[in-house]
Amino acid sequence: MLVKSIGFLDNFNGDFTVSDGGSHVNVPAGTAVLRIATEAGMFEIHPNASGEMALVSMRIDACDAIEARNLVQNATAPVLDHISFMGGTPIITGLTRIYDDTNQASTLDLIAPEQAVTLNPGNGTLFADLAPIYALYREFKNTVSPFYRLLCAYKILEGIYGVLRKSARKRATEKGIRLIIPKEVVPDHPDIAKDLRHLVGKPIKTVCDNVLQKRYRDAAAHFLVQETQVLRVSSAEERAKFADMAFLCDLCAQIVIHNHEAALRHLK
């Protein structure tokens, strides 16, 4: 289903139809459906009653829902990307429903909403040194792009390790204070991707320098996976890989920020 704005869904209808979707792209008057041939097969774009591109559908052979989603996204995304460029307008996908004809089962693919939190009623301290870091963390949480999320997370870690820690240690030396920062390692969490679990327990700084920067940040920032290979941001596999690493980075960023806050309290 196509939608007009990006957002996390608080509620949704899994049995959506073309009337639930919409976009900023209108099809020619009288068009019932657009059929587009790709190397992976034919897919269709259905307009809603207002004539807006609203629903994309495709039949595909796959072993499971994840493979089906990836195949459909990889086949349809380049066309939607091109239409977005030609029209100079965003084209945003919302809910995706994968229906298994053999088992008569439906799978929904969506961006899950964030969990609600309750503010601590006690006093808090906003450290001016960390204002840019707080802003980057909020930016990280507000975006749904795994590529931009990862860049924000990297800038958080780079900013603290590269600038703020050095500044804090210098101030501590000037005040004659011994600044002790706890050992910072990648924490364990049940939702860390299987391919990234080997990083659990390793120093966050080492992971940032040797894994995050070289394999992810450089690819997103320089638009190159390798010198001869361009990063495809519409690739389902690439998006999933960056989303998995962005989740791990979120866990690490929280640890590093909290530890730096503690260091700044010690310097007051």
Side-chain angles (χ1 to χ4, degrees), residues 166-217:
K166 292 178 182 178
S167 175
R169 288 192 174 97
K170 181 180 179 181
R171 288 161 57 189
T173 301
E174 292 171 349
K175 292 185 175 184
I177 297 173
R178 184 185 177 193
L179 198 61
I180 300 176
I181 296 177
K183 186 177 181 180
E184 295 169 330
V185 299
V186 177
D188 195 3
H189 191 285
D191 292 332
I192 291 177
K194 186 183 300 183
D195 292 343
L196 299 177
R197 294 205 63 81
H198 67 283
L199 299 176
V200 172
K202 292 190 175 181
I204 293 175
K205 179 69 164 61
T206 300
V207 172
C208 181
D209 292 341
N210 298 333
V211 180
L212 178 59
Q213 178 180 350
K214 295 181 180 179
R215 299 183 191 175
Y216 294 86
R217 179 266 179 189

Side-chain angles (χ1 to χ4, degrees), residues 107-138:
T107 300
L108 289 178
D109 186 69
L110 71 157
I111 298 174
E114 294 282 345
Q115 293 184 343
V117 297
T118 301
L119 286 176
N120 188 330
N123 293 328
T125 302
L126 193 161
F127 297 98
D129 288 359
L130 283 171
I133 301 300
Y134 297 139
L136 276 169
Y137 189 80
R138 181 184 175 196

